[in-house]
Amino acid sequence: MTEHFSHVDFHPTYDATVATVRDAMRLGADALAIGIPGGSSHRAAMLEMLSAVTEEARTWGMPVIRHSYPSGELWGDREGSTESVMYTARAAAECGTDIVKTWYTGSAEEFRRIVEAVPTPVVAAGGAPAPAPINILEQAAAVMEASGAGMTCGRSIWRAEDPTKMVRALKAVVHDGMTPSRAVALLS
């Protein structure tokens, strides 16, 4: 199996609006996803853009998901800390997003701090592929223990030995409350 990935260079600390809500609707989108590096020196302008887009989307009934990552030059060695994740996730909620997708902070206890600080549903980004399937199932269980709304797991699914079985195992953990040690058996 050969994987091919296109590479597009983006500005590392500035995400710009490149289409309108109507453009997304015309293309058949069901929701909008907007990414903003929360530690960028451009964050004020980007948060203004996010607020304007979420307001327009609300008039059309289009949900907005913010990929709320605490990256950027302003964080320094605090990038990825619970405090930086909390700041950027809370800012997303205050700008009107319907769902906040952000970095997992390493434990159920730390992620619970994020969930409790944000008044909208919070999902954890799956992040880089895990060393073993059990690791992603354990992360999913911790997110749910923290009262997170769920987890996104693109690469952990499409790179799995059997993507369908991986989806079933994740569903068992996230939706059915199965323990990771039991759910991993669904991968066999």
Side-chain angles (χ1 to χ4, degrees):
M1 178 176 177
T2 303
E3 290 183 355
H4 174 75
F5 296 98
S6 298
H7 177 73
V8 177
D9 287 328
F10 293 97
H11 191 284
T13 62
Y14 188 83
D15 288 336
T17 302
V18 295
T20 66
V21 174
R22 286 184 181 192
D23 291 332
M25 291 170 53
R26 188 173 47 256
L27 293 170
D30 294 314
L32 299 175
I34 300 172
I36 295 175
S40 167
S41 59
H42 304 285
R43 73 175 164 215
M46 289 184 291
L47 290 171
E48 287 174 359
M49 175 271 302
L50 175 65
S51 292
V53 170
T54 57
E55 185 176 330
E56 181 185 358
R58 186 164 282 112
T59 65
W60 294 101
M62 170 108 31
V64 176
I65 303 161
R66 174 168 175 212
H67 294 225
S68 189
Y69 304 139
S71 56
E73 70 279 5
L74 299 179
W75 289 117
D77 63 355
R78 296 178 306 143
E79 182 173 293
S81 67
T82 299
E83 290 71 25
S84 67
V85 172
M86 189 180 307
Y87 170 86
T88 192
R90 179 69 192 215
E94 291 175 3
C95 288
T97 58
D98 300 288
I99 297 173
V100 174
K101 175 185 171 186
T102 195
W103 291 350
Y104 175 65
T105 49
S107 71
E109 295 79 24
E110 287 300 304
F111 200 70
R112 181 180 306 280
R113 291 180 58 201
I114 308 306
V115 171
E116 290 175 350
V118 178
T120 59
V122 177
V123 299
I134 187 73
N135 301 114
I136 199 72
L137 297 172
E138 289 169 343
Q139 181 179 337
V143 167
M144 300 317 293
E145 180 184 332
S147 299
M151 196 164 114
T152 62
C153 303
R155 289 174 287 186
S156 295
I157 292 172
W158 70 69
R159 289 185 177 171
E161 186 175 315
D162 185 328
T164 301
K165 288 181 180 179
M166 188 63 182
V167 168
R168 286 186 185 131
L170 281 163
K171 178 191 173 293
V173 171
V174 172
H175 294 286
D176 303 332
M178 188 179 285
T179 64
S181 59
R182 286 189 55 220
V184 77
L186 298 173
L187 299 174
S188 301

